[in-house]
Amino acid sequence: EVQLVESGGGLAQAGGSLRLSCVASGFPFETYAIGWFRQAPGKEREGVSSIRNTDGFELYADFVNGRFTISADNAKNTVYLQMNNLKPDDTAVYYCAARSAHNHYFLFENEFPYWGQGTQVTVSS
């Protein structure tokens, strides 16, 4: 059974930092790509970042603008999203998702079949 479990969300002040974790199980982690997506109240879900565990290829949405860093620990089947210089607009539920790393070049959520339950990130001004 595929499982993705997010943690690390919470409340942060503008300019602060949070680190999200996504622990994966039930599939060959090293052959997959893991993505982070978010959904703010009243908005559609959008891609944030992803990493291909096969070669470390990373993708970031334009709004990240160098503030977030994605990384993977294949030994722990875990992907991290380090978020710095947080803004109130970053407030959202953050989800991690998994797909085969093969032909992964874009942050298209419909290409990710496996999803976690999400973790809330709230940034106060």
Side-chain angles (χ1 to χ4, degrees):
E1 178 188 5
V2 173
Q3 282 194 321
L4 297 166
V5 180
E6 304 96 335
S7 62
L11 178 64
Q13 291 189 332
S17 299
L18 286 172
R19 189 177 80 156
L20 306 183
S21 299
C22 173
V23 180
S25 61
F27 59 90
F29 184 81
E30 63 277 6
T31 68
Y32 270 59
I34 304 295
W36 285 99
F37 296 79
R38 71 184 188 182
Q39 187 166 22
K43 295 187 178 181
E44 293 187 352
R45 190 157 55 188
E46 61 182 351
V48 178
S49 180
S50 70
I51 186 167
R52 282 197 311 233
N53 295 337
T54 49
D55 60 4
F57 174 74
E58 300 173 12
L59 289 170
Y60 294 96
D62 289 345
F63 63 77
V64 169
N65 200 23
R67 300 181 297 127
F68 299 173
T69 302
I70 194 168
S71 61
D73 185 337
N74 285 7
K76 295 183 178 180
N77 281 14
T78 301
V79 169
Y80 305 98
L81 184 68
Q82 177 67 43
M83 304 189 295
N84 299 327
N85 192 20
L86 284 163
K87 304 176 181 180
D89 284 350
D90 294 319
T91 295
V93 178
Y94 283 71
Y95 300 89
C96 69
R99 58 152 288 168
S100 169
H102 181 62
N103 283 339
H104 169 57
Y105 296 102
F106 301 100
L107 275 170
F108 294 152
E109 65 170 280
N110 60 0
E111 294 183 353
F112 286 79
Y114 306 115
W115 291 80
Q117 293 300 307
T119 185
Q120 176 70 47
V121 171
T122 302
V123 183
S124 63
S125 58

